[in-house]
Amino acid sequence: MILQRVLGLALWQLAWALALGALAGAVGGADPAHAPAAWHAWRLGGALAGFALASWSAMLFDAWRAGRVLRWLRSEEPAAAAPALGGVWGEAADRMRRRCREAERQVADSAGRLHEILSALQASPNGVVLLGAHLCIEWCNQTAAEHFGIDIERDLQQSLGNLVRDPAFSAYCAAGKFASDVVIPGRRSTPGRPVRLSVQLHPYGEGRTMLLSRDVTALEQAEAMRRDFVANVSHEIRTPLTVLTGFVETLQTLPLEADERAHYLGLMAQQAARMQSVVSDLLTLSRLEGSPLPGQAERVPLKALIAHCQQEAEALSALLGRHHVLHFPAGVEGEVAGSAHELQSALSNLVVNAVRYTPAGGTVTVRWTVLDGRDPARGAAGEGEFSVQDTGPGIAPEHIPRLTERFYRVDRSRSRESGGTGLGLAIVKHVLQRHGGRLRIESQPGAGSTFTLVLPAERLRTAGISDKKASSPGNT
């Protein structure tokens, strides 16, 4: 195709030369019969002049077309703006236009894929930071920005080591061994609410590194709770077993009087009852975790639930001989949807704990309220609030977040003396989670505690609810 176009241009130039040569001969006016030499000279000169003129015209025309193509290439305009030309330059422009369109399409496809990849990284629940040479920040997702406090506009091309100054992370980067991760405190970590981050570097490309971070606070807490749970279960079972074993050996080896034997047998019965309580509460927790969520078909009268709590509180206070002042609400009407056994267990645990940890002569006040929504901190309108307030020793703030952990005790010796298993509040938490409720704890050392159980409005059917205390509080 190109050869044909070049031959066409040469023939066009030859035609121009012959035409101009004939014109020159005509202008010379010489008669070829009388002056053949002069006539041929004119013909030859005209042909040469025409050929030269045609060549210059062709060169100027090609230069003009080449200039148009060069201007398009230099202007950074899209492929669609390529000049429409004929001849060799037209074909060259067409081919370059097609190549440019293909390159633009590939660039657009690459940009689209890059955007999709970055969007996927942005949606990742883990933190992702792309680092260049010397661990300089080139890009990060929102999760990583929250983990390390990165402002991508401000900290772009800043070294990550200037932002993360944890000694363990600095040593990890200096060692250059990235086969495993390193766990460091999070930016918002506090002694009361620790945050732990797992960080690992992954080299890729030429001098580039990708950092992955994830919040492992919940995992570490779960692992700590598992270790504590195993240790506590072992301790709670081993201690009474040790006592029982000692008593059995005593009864087997020593001759005892009848009253001494009865005393030892009574202590053995107490330890056996303690083990039975621990096993019973563990089975309750296992049942709560493994059974289906309670529906709303079964409805339990609130009056019956609170009356049962009152009976248990009075009986335990009398058994302990502490003569507590007990206040329970009167005139409670309505029903709550859910499991009667689970709800009774949750309410009774709160009341029994208050009686156990309140000293002799102290007061335990139970209230039931349907919230009106005026105080958003307490709950939404229509929710039910069952609160138990005592005048006990109170609880220090650092212990409150862990009270619902299994076997967690503020004072282990006092808890065992009171007969608790350390599982009551864990049962309350699980029951509330299964019924869509929540537990609120307010306490100050020396000022008593208030444990509040909040039930969602959709589980309540109330009528004539009263928050009044009984007219004559029970004194036992």
Side-chain angles (χ1 to χ4, degrees):
M1 180 64 69
I2 296 178
L3 180 60
Q4 292 176 357
R5 293 182 182 276
V6 171
L7 290 175
L9 179 61
L11 291 175
W12 178 76
Q13 291 176 344
L14 180 59
W16 261 95
L18 293 175
L20 289 176
L23 179 62
V27 171
D31 185 358
H34 297 87
W39 186 84
H40 286 297
W42 274 101
R43 287 286 303 271
L44 180 60
L48 291 176
F51 185 78
L53 182 60
S55 298
W56 278 105
S57 299
M59 291 177 60
L60 291 175
F61 185 63
D62 274 2
W64 173 74
R65 292 192 298 177
R68 291 188 60 186
V69 174
L70 287 175
R71 281 195 298 273
W72 166 62
L73 292 175
R74 293 168 178 169
S75 64
E76 298 183 357
E77 293 181 351
L85 300 172
V88 176
W89 288 110
E91 182 176 352
D94 289 340
R95 290 182 178 275
M96 285 186 283
R97 179 168 55 244
R98 287 195 293 270
R99 294 286 181 88
C100 289
R101 284 178 177 173
E102 180 65 20
E104 290 174 356
R105 187 186 63 79
Q106 292 178 356
V107 169
D109 291 344
S110 299
R113 287 194 294 270
L114 177 61
H115 178 73
E116 291 176 357
I117 293 172
L118 294 180
S119 297
L121 294 177
Q122 189 66 257
S124 171
N126 297 329
V128 181
V129 185
L130 302 182
L131 304 170
H134 308 295
L135 299 183
C136 292
I137 299 171
E138 294 183 344
W139 183 89
C140 73
N141 65 358
Q142 186 60 35
T143 304
E146 294 176 358
H147 284 171
F148 304 110
I150 298 174
D151 184 336
I152 191 60
E153 295 183 358
R154 180 196 64 198
D155 299 324
L156 189 64
Q157 296 302 324
Q158 290 289 325
S159 175
L160 186 64
N162 295 335
L163 301 177
V164 183
R165 297 183 176 275
D166 183 78
F169 180 74
S170 299
Y172 175 77
C173 295
K177 299 178 180 180
F178 306 139
S180 60
D181 64 342
V182 60
V183 178
I184 63 174
R187 181 172 63 95
R188 298 180 180 177
S189 181
T190 61
R193 191 180 294 272
V195 177
R196 304 286 289 171
L197 298 178
S198 169
V199 179
Q200 186 170 6
L201 295 175
H202 300 270
Y204 73 98
E206 296 184 3
R208 297 184 178 277
T209 309
M210 178 174 64
L211 179 146
L212 297 180
S213 63
R214 59 191 179 100
D215 192 333
V216 295
T217 305
L219 291 176
E220 290 201 348
Q221 290 177 345
E223 179 62 21
M225 290 175 64
R226 186 193 65 80
R227 291 194 302 267
D228 292 345
F229 175 74
V230 172
N232 286 324
V233 168
S234 301
H235 181 75
E236 294 294 333
I237 299 297
R238 185 174 63 249
T239 300
L241 279 176
T242 302
V243 175
L244 283 173
T245 302
F247 287 154
V248 169
E249 291 177 354
T250 300
L251 292 174
Q252 289 176 337
T253 57
L254 295 178
L256 300 175
E257 298 294 335
D259 56 344
E260 292 179 328
R261 181 179 294 272
H263 174 68
Y264 283 125
L265 289 174
L267 293 177
M268 292 172 67
Q270 289 180 5
Q271 297 301 320
R274 178 181 168 188
M275 283 194 296
Q276 186 175 6
S277 298
V278 172
V279 172
S280 176
D281 284 350
L282 286 173
L283 290 175
T284 299
L285 281 171
S286 177
R287 184 175 63 254
L288 290 173
E289 292 177 342
S291 59
L293 295 177
Q296 299 196 16
E298 180 184 0
R299 293 192 172 271
V300 188
L302 287 165
K303 185 176 182 179
L305 291 173
I306 295 177
H308 186 81
C309 291
Q310 184 172 359
Q311 293 174 4
E312 288 188 330
E314 292 173 351
L316 181 59
S317 181
L319 180 64
L320 296 175
R322 297 181 183 175
H323 305 287
H324 297 108
V325 179
L326 305 175
H327 297 294
F328 282 81
V332 175
E333 300 294 340
E335 298 173 330
V336 58
S339 169
H341 177 73
E342 294 180 15
L343 291 169
Q344 188 65 71
S345 176
L347 270 61
S348 295
N349 266 302
L350 294 184
V351 174
V352 168
N353 279 348
V355 173
R356 280 177 175 164
Y357 296 111
T358 299
T363 302
V364 175
T365 303
V366 177
R367 296 184 176 89
W368 170 258
T369 309
V370 176
L371 302 178
D372 55 13
R374 295 179 182 177
D375 185 359
R378 293 180 63 182
E383 291 184 328
E385 187 181 78
F386 178 86
S387 64
V388 181
Q389 182 180 10
D390 62 53
T391 57
I395 304 168
E398 62 268 19
H399 295 292
I400 292 178
R402 301 191 61 188
L403 289 179
T404 56
E405 295 180 11
R406 302 178 185 188
F407 295 113
Y408 185 81
R409 292 185 173 93
V410 176
D411 187 336
R412 290 184 175 272
S413 61
R414 188 181 70 184
S415 179
R416 291 196 180 91
E417 290 173 0
S418 65
T421 63
L423 296 171
L425 289 178
I427 293 175
V428 172
K429 181 185 73 172
H430 278 75
V431 170
L432 287 177
Q433 288 177 344
R434 289 168 54 80
H435 287 78
R438 59 188 183 276
L439 180 64
R440 188 171 64 247
I441 304 175
E442 303 169 51
S443 184
Q444 291 183 358
S449 306
T450 301
F451 290 77
T452 303
L453 183 156
V454 182
L455 292 171
E458 58 268 18
R459 286 192 175 268
L460 300 181
R461 181 184 294 170
T462 58
I465 301 299
S466 173
D467 187 30
K468 299 178 181 178
K469 297 179 184 178
S471 56
S472 57
N475 297 313
T476 60

